[in-house]
Amino acid sequence: QVQLVESGGGLVQAGGSVRLSCAASGRTFSRYAMGWFRQAPGKEREFVAANSWRDGSTYYADSVKGRFTISRDNAKNTVYLQMNSLKPEDTAVYYCAASKDVTIVVVTSYDYWGQGTQVTVSS
């Protein structure tokens, strides 16, 4: 079992930055791929970024590439999402998730989810 708790969301102006954190329980955190997803009102949950535990590879949605950075600290059982140059269209509830799958850019690959943290970007 893995429990995930996100923090760091809030209200930010367009062009600003926010860093989200996701603290995980469990001693095998380092063997899970970690991902960030988001869901805006009336829309489906979508992939944002992921980090593979196997080789450290990172993956990003085209809409955030170059602006967002995923990182992890296995010693702290924490994964981060640094979000820069935020746009109003980035407004959503952001979720972190853990997966043991090989394919880690889709919602269905993830077994454990946090409760989500709201990020609102004002124009």
Side-chain angles (χ1 to χ4, degrees):
Q1 278 280 16
V2 177
Q3 292 185 324
L4 305 171
V5 179
E6 302 98 334
S7 61
L11 176 64
V12 62
Q13 288 189 332
S17 298
V18 167
R19 188 176 82 156
L20 305 182
S21 300
C22 174
S25 66
R27 292 177 289 181
T28 58
F29 171 78
S30 62
R31 291 188 172 269
Y32 281 87
M34 298 301 297
W36 286 96
F37 293 77
R38 66 187 181 187
Q39 188 166 18
K43 295 189 176 181
E44 293 187 353
R45 193 168 298 188
E46 65 175 5
F47 169 74
V48 174
N51 172 260
S52 169
W53 72 269
R54 297 175 187 268
D55 59 6
S57 298
T58 55
Y59 304 87
Y60 296 94
D62 288 343
S63 58
V64 307
K65 204 170 291 184
R67 300 188 298 123
F68 291 11
T69 303
I70 186 172
S71 61
R72 66 193 294 165
D73 185 336
N74 288 335
K76 296 182 177 179
N77 278 14
T78 301
V79 62
Y80 304 96
L81 185 68
Q82 178 67 43
M83 304 189 294
N84 299 328
S85 302
L86 283 161
K87 305 175 181 179
E89 51 263 43
D90 294 318
T91 296
V93 177
Y94 283 74
Y95 299 89
C96 73
S99 170
K100 286 217 165 188
D101 208 334
V102 175
T103 302
I104 57 174
V105 298
V106 295
V107 170
T108 52
S109 293
Y110 288 79
D111 303 304
Y112 303 101
W113 293 84
Q115 82 289 350
T117 185
Q118 176 72 46
V119 174
T120 302
V121 184
S122 63
S123 57

